[in-house]
Amino acid sequence: MVRLEGERARTVWQLRLFAEVVRDGRFLDLRVDPALPDRKPLPRPDLRLSQIPLGPVAVFGSSNFPLAFSVAGGDTASALAAGCPVIVKGHLAHPGTGELVGRAIREAVETSGLPEGTFSLLNGANETGAALVNDLRIKAVGFTGSRGGGLALGAIAAARPEPIPVYAEMSSINPVYLLPAALAVRAEALGSGFVESLTLGADQFCTNPGLIFAIDSPDLDRFIVSVSAALAQKVPAPMLTSGVHAAFDKGVAGFAGHDAVNVLGKGQPADGVNRSPAAFFETDVEHFLEDEKLSAEVFGSSSLLVRCRDVAQMIEVTEKLEGQLTATLHIDPNDHADARALIPVLERKVGRILANGWPTGVDVSHAMVHGGPFPATSDSRTTSVGILAIRRFLRPVSYQDLPDDLLPAELGDDGLSALPHLRDGVAR
Amino acid sequence: MVRLEGERARTVWQLRLFAEVVRDGRFLDLRVDPALPDRKPLPRPDLRLSQIPLGPVAVFGSSNFPLAFSVAGGDTASALAAGCPVIVKGHLAHPGTGELVGRAIREAVETSGLPEGTFSLLNGANETGAALVNDLRIKAVGFTGSRGGGLALGAIAAARPEPIPVYAEMSSINPVYLLPAALAVRAEALGSGFVESLTLGADQFCTNPGLIFAIDSPDLDRFIVSVSAALAQKVPAPMLTSGVHAAFDKGVAGFAGHDAVNVLGKGQPADGVNRSPAAFFETDVEHFLEDEKLSAEVFGSSSLLVRCRDVAQMIEVTEKLEGQLTATLHIDPNDHADARALIPVLERKVGRILANGWPTGVDVSHAMVHGGPFPATSDSRTTSVGILAIRRFLRPVSYQDLPDDLLPAELGDDGLSALPHLRDGVAR
């Protein structure tokens, strides 16, 4: 209940924040280059640029946040803020919640006097989703879910007579780096902090810390002891659906039965439906690089420690990682030199780099990036959380020498005087 | 020679403008959300956002601007400005010019002390281009050329283990709307202005006015008479390559031999290699909509007039157009009501709407959009000309709670004090 109330608060706050963004007008990225009739060799026309909505957007919510990443979630909020009508394909894991939220939005659309088509909710299976993406009236797609699902929608969208962008947030194992000085100073605290992050809500988050890199040392052994002890106390939380639960069990069994993998820790035995104990594994760099199954996402409370020889090897293995949503550094001042060598590599791999925290919290704000190179997302230039999510659903249009009364209101002289814009590249 | 000097000036100006953009720093779109340690229910971390280059970019220049849209053209300038190394696949139509320009850039790279890999020029056929796009070190592609070429590169890029964005500027027939009051007032001037635009440089521009919509009337007949008379004086200019010339002849023959198409005007007979007379055709809306061959691009001095019954039919046929780079309105104050009905439809079809001019000039500035919905380009959210072209080669990275000395220089407290940024969404 606390989790649900927190998620509801986040969902409402997100919608309000996008309303503020729209009022502020900065998202329109207005630009004016006034006419230069005397320019040589050719006069310059009057050019004014604004953003228009792409058109109707299909949103596929995720199973793990029935409120914040589903019917009224970030994709819906940012698409509506951009001025795009939204058609949500409801997630089969929470049809009732979806229906309640969908009705609330329909009511809001009505009481706000918006056109009826502003929002729709469709329930159905995969074929419904495929038909939606194939409908030529749809101009963009937002998706949060599995790599398979995201790639399937991307293939449908690319094969249309008019291809459209699919913003799919897919899979990420979110590497965590425990650097030597930090481990020396606080191995035990890192161990218990990690277990809290790994087990909160059965860690069914796209930013769950599924991979740990650390250098072999007695301090690392202290960390492992701390993790095992804390994990042994943890009672399994229920998972979202039987499908998610079955996939977790399969992933954990794959690690547990792997020749090159040791089990380092385990949560309490499961007691109840859709529950399984959390699990912590280890392997070394050579085996990690040899078998790509070891870098596949296991959605839930499972994580793999990869023992490295030194920082150079840590960087080497990072170079070979696929794209990720986040990377986390645990560092002390004495680790800064190593971190400085690692960060340029991480920048090319992830959308968010964080220090001395855990990646699972994703703030809805101006500077947030919840995105990253493929396969974390299908479009590394975008974020699905935070203000910049609105950019995914806009495109620029330039107006040349249009009379003031034919310009969009925001680009007329009155509109410009009230809104932030660039004039010849200078902020006004 | 005048054309070449003008194009060289544009190319140099474009490079200088992007240098200014980099110095200005606004392209980094810096955002800071300071920590809120006392926020409830959870504290907010310190979040800072900047942009990083996507990585090495493959550039495929166009045949029609050996300077401004080729080796040192807009794609190269904007990718280098974003911090991306560039590998140009030289166009076979101008290997010598390409080589000269490429050497100039190599020299500039050396004298500026940039890494040697900053710029490379490859010569070769289609297989060279395909191999380049397939190389996993390439992270984005800029292309200007045919629809077939752009789609082929897009398919290669999408099939890579890590798909990458292809920014292809492809085909556009750039509809021109002659509204009734404007025609009544200045049919003759519109006719001669149109012929100048249609025949300048054999109209080998992506924004050539290949399609005219006008309402059947005696004023339209005056326009046609004016066009025919002006066209009859025009001596054919040489086209860029024998391939471009052959494609033009084929396109014109297709129109000339079409049952539903009349020839309205023709330039002087050709005299010399790779030259053909300009051509002006007409059809009606029904036949235009029936046969999609009539809306295919004929690259060069050929244009098709589509006679409409009224403004309603003009809007109806516009609804069925594919995406375009530009739309042009010729209007008088008495046309504004009609224009107001047409513009919302045009906004969904094109990247730039212009009034009382011709679309062939494309200014390099802050408010320019040289882009548009598919198939004008492969990504309607982007422009290949103007300042915003740099955005295609950047992606955001968010830094959470990083110590000042580990942040990118622009995001540290010193960097921020010198650069434009948003703090909690407010411009600083």
Side-chain angles (χ1 to χ4, degrees):
Chain A
M1 189 48 83
V2 172
R3 150 95 200 253
L4 274 178
E5 281 175 359
E7 195 182 325
R8 186 183 61 186
R10 179 194 175 96
T11 308
V12 171
W13 148 254
Q14 186 164 255
L15 288 161
R16 293 215 169 108
L17 186 63
F18 275 109
E20 263 177 53
V21 165
V22 171
R23 274 186 219 108
D24 174 62
R26 195 173 298 280
F27 78 104
L28 290 170
D29 206 3
L30 303 178
R31 286 148 195 261
V32 181
D33 300 325
L36 299 173
D38 301 325
R39 191 183 64 174
K40 302 288 170 209
L42 291 169
R44 183 173 80 178
D46 178 276
L47 282 165
R48 300 177 187 224
L49 180 146
S50 184
Q51 305 283 329
I52 67 165
L54 284 185
V57 173
V59 169
F60 293 74
S62 71
S63 63
N64 59 337
F65 285 95
L67 300 172
F69 281 82
S70 187
V71 178
D75 282 345
T76 299
S78 54
L80 288 176
C84 298
V86 168
I87 298 103
V88 173
K89 154 72 176 65
H91 200 286
L92 295 176
H94 51 264
T97 307
E99 189 70 29
L100 288 171
V101 175
R103 285 183 190 199
I105 303 180
R106 291 298 296 241
E107 264 180 52
V109 164
E110 210 182 307
T111 56
S112 309
L114 292 169
E116 206 194 328
T118 303
F119 175 84
S120 319
L121 171 62
L122 287 179
N123 283 310
N126 285 353
E127 306 78 63
T128 308
L132 187 59
V133 176
N134 250 325
D135 189 302
L136 294 184
R137 291 166 296 186
I138 294 292
K139 298 300 181 189
V141 177
F143 169 87
T144 310
S146 70
R147 186 164 173 171
L151 293 179
L153 292 183
I156 294 170
R160 292 167 35 130
E162 181 199 6
I164 52 172
V166 173
Y167 304 107
E169 193 237 288
M170 299 181 288
S171 64
S172 182
I173 50 176
N174 303 297
V176 174
Y177 297 81
L178 307 176
L179 292 190
L183 261 189
V185 175
R186 52 178 189 276
E188 287 76 16
L190 285 172
S192 54
F194 167 64
V195 169
E196 286 311 306
S197 175
L198 185 68
T199 54
L200 180 77
D203 214 19
Q204 297 162 100
F205 305 117
C206 12
T207 51
N208 60 356
L211 188 62
I212 311 256
F213 291 112
I215 295 161
D216 230 348
S217 73
D219 295 324
L220 177 57
D221 296 334
R222 286 166 52 212
F223 170 80
I224 294 170
V225 168
S226 160
V227 170
S228 305
L231 212 51
Q233 305 302 315
K234 287 290 175 186
V235 176
M239 298 195 77
L240 292 156
T241 68
S242 55
V244 169
H245 178 244
F248 175 78
D249 277 356
K250 198 179 156 198
V252 166
F255 277 39
H258 197 289
D259 283 347
V261 173
N262 298 322
V263 180
L264 290 179
K266 228 170 156 43
Q268 295 263 320
D271 177 18
V273 172
N274 291 346
R275 291 163 206 245
S276 288
F280 186 44
F281 301 100
E282 71 163 341
T283 190
D284 55 31
V285 169
E286 287 72 21
H287 288 99
F288 179 74
L289 291 178
E290 236 168 50
D291 186 352
E292 61 182 26
K293 282 201 293 293
L294 293 180
S295 48
E297 184 179 11
V298 178
F299 193 71
S301 299
S302 170
S303 192
L304 176 67
L305 168 69
V306 178
R307 283 181 193 265
C308 304
R309 207 172 41 236
D310 49 26
V311 171
Q313 199 186 33
M314 213 176 230
I315 292 175
E316 199 189 307
V317 62
T318 301
E319 287 276 12
K320 292 175 179 157
L321 285 182
E322 290 190 310
Q324 307 288 340
L325 294 170
T326 69
T328 301
L329 299 169
H330 282 283
I331 46 177
D332 232 47
N334 285 337
D335 292 315
H336 283 201
D338 290 337
R340 212 167 282 123
L342 197 50
I343 287 173
V345 183
L346 292 177
E347 282 171 333
R348 280 183 276 118
K349 296 290 178 181
V350 311
R352 178 166 55 114
I353 299 175
L354 57 150
N356 297 330
W358 299 98
T360 24
V362 183
D363 239 90
V364 182
S365 69
H366 297 272
M368 175 52 70
V369 176
H370 189 61
F374 184 88
T377 78
S378 57
D379 187 340
S380 72
R381 298 156 299 172
T382 64
T383 175
S384 62
V385 176
I387 295 310
L388 287 175
I390 195 174
R391 286 235 180 114
R392 300 175 298 165
F393 303 115
L394 295 166
R395 70 175 178 85
V397 175
S398 184
Y399 302 84
Q400 179 175 324
D401 285 338
L402 250 66
D404 203 77
D405 67 316
L406 292 181
L407 283 166
E410 70 270 19
L411 282 179
D413 290 337
D414 283 357
L416 285 174
S417 69
L419 288 166
H421 63 279
L422 295 185
R423 192 177 169 90
D424 265 330
V426 179
R428 292 299 177 100
Chain B
M1 190 47 83
V2 172
R3 150 96 200 253
L4 274 179
E5 281 175 359
E7 195 182 325
R8 185 184 62 187
R10 178 195 175 95
T11 308
V12 171
W13 148 253
Q14 186 164 254
L15 288 161
R16 292 215 170 108
L17 186 62
F18 275 109
E20 262 177 53
V21 165
V22 171
R23 274 185 220 109
D24 175 61
R26 195 173 299 281
F27 78 104
L28 290 170
D29 207 2
L30 304 178
R31 287 149 193 261
V32 180
D33 299 326
L36 299 174
D38 301 325
R39 190 182 65 173
K40 303 288 169 207
L42 291 169
R44 183 172 80 178
D46 179 275
L47 282 165
R48 300 177 187 224
L49 180 147
S50 184
Q51 305 283 330
I52 67 165
L54 284 186
V57 172
V59 169
F60 293 75
S62 72
S63 64
N64 60 337
F65 285 96
L67 300 173
F69 281 81
S70 187
V71 178
D75 282 345
T76 299
S78 54
L80 288 176
C84 298
V86 168
I87 297 103
V88 173
K89 155 71 176 66
H91 199 287
L92 294 176
H94 50 264
T97 307
E99 189 69 29
L100 288 171
V101 175
R103 286 184 190 198
I105 303 180
R106 291 296 297 239
E107 264 180 52
V109 164
E110 210 183 306
T111 57
S112 308
L114 292 169
E116 205 193 329
T118 302
F119 176 84
S120 320
L121 170 62
L122 286 180
N123 283 310
N126 286 352
E127 306 79 63
T128 308
L132 187 59
V133 176
N134 251 325
D135 189 302
L136 294 184
R137 291 166 296 186
I138 294 292
K139 298 300 181 189
V141 177
F143 170 87
T144 310
S146 70
R147 186 164 173 171
L151 293 180
L153 292 183
I156 294 170
R160 291 167 36 130
E162 181 200 5
I164 52 172
V166 173
Y167 304 107
E169 194 236 288
M170 299 180 288
S171 64
S172 182
I173 50 175
N174 303 297
V176 174
Y177 297 81
L178 307 176
L179 291 190
L183 260 188
V185 175
R186 51 178 190 276
E188 287 76 16
L190 285 172
S192 54
F194 166 64
V195 170
E196 286 312 306
S197 175
L198 184 68
T199 54
L200 180 76
D203 215 19
Q204 297 162 101
F205 305 118
C206 12
T207 51
N208 60 355
L211 187 63
I212 311 258
F213 291 112
I215 295 161
D216 230 348
S217 73
D219 295 325
L220 177 57
D221 296 334
R222 285 166 52 212
F223 170 80
I224 293 170
V225 168
S226 161
V227 170
S228 305
L231 211 50
Q233 304 303 315
K234 286 290 176 185
V235 176
M239 298 195 77
L240 292 156
T241 68
S242 54
V244 169
H245 177 245
F248 176 78
D249 277 357
K250 197 179 157 196
V252 166
F255 277 39
H258 197 289
D259 283 347
V261 172
N262 298 322
V263 180
L264 290 178
K266 228 170 157 41
Q268 296 263 318
D271 177 18
V273 173
N274 291 346
R275 291 164 206 245
S276 289
F280 186 44
F281 301 100
E282 71 162 342
T283 190
D284 55 32
V285 169
E286 287 72 20
H287 288 99
F288 179 73
L289 291 178
E290 237 167 49
D291 186 352
E292 61 182 25
K293 282 201 292 293
L294 293 180
S295 48
E297 184 179 12
V298 178
F299 192 71
S301 299
S302 170
S303 193
L304 175 67
L305 168 69
V306 178
R307 282 181 194 266
C308 304
R309 207 171 43 235
D310 49 26
V311 171
Q313 199 186 33
M314 213 176 230
I315 292 174
E316 200 189 306
V317 62
T318 300
E319 287 277 12
K320 292 175 179 156
L321 286 181
E322 290 190 311
Q324 307 288 341
L325 293 171
T326 70
T328 301
L329 299 169
H330 283 282
I331 47 177
D332 231 47
N334 285 338
D335 293 315
H336 284 202
D338 290 338
R340 212 167 282 123
L342 197 49
I343 287 172
V345 183
L346 292 177
E347 282 171 333
R348 280 183 276 117
K349 297 290 178 181
V350 312
R352 178 166 55 114
I353 300 176
L354 58 150
N356 297 330
W358 299 99
T360 24
V362 184
D363 239 89
V364 183
S365 69
H366 297 272
M368 175 52 70
V369 176
H370 189 61
F374 184 89
T377 77
S378 56
D379 187 339
S380 72
R381 297 156 298 171
T382 64
T383 176
S384 62
V385 176
I387 295 311
L388 286 175
I390 196 174
R391 285 233 181 115
R392 301 175 297 165
F393 304 115
L394 295 165
R395 71 176 178 84
V397 175
S398 185
Y399 302 83
Q400 178 175 324
D401 285 338
L402 251 66
D404 203 77
D405 67 316
L406 292 181
L407 282 166
E410 70 269 20
L411 282 179
D413 290 337
D414 284 356
L416 286 174
S417 68
L419 288 166
H421 64 279
L422 295 185
R423 192 176 168 91
D424 265 330
V426 179
R428 293 299 178 100

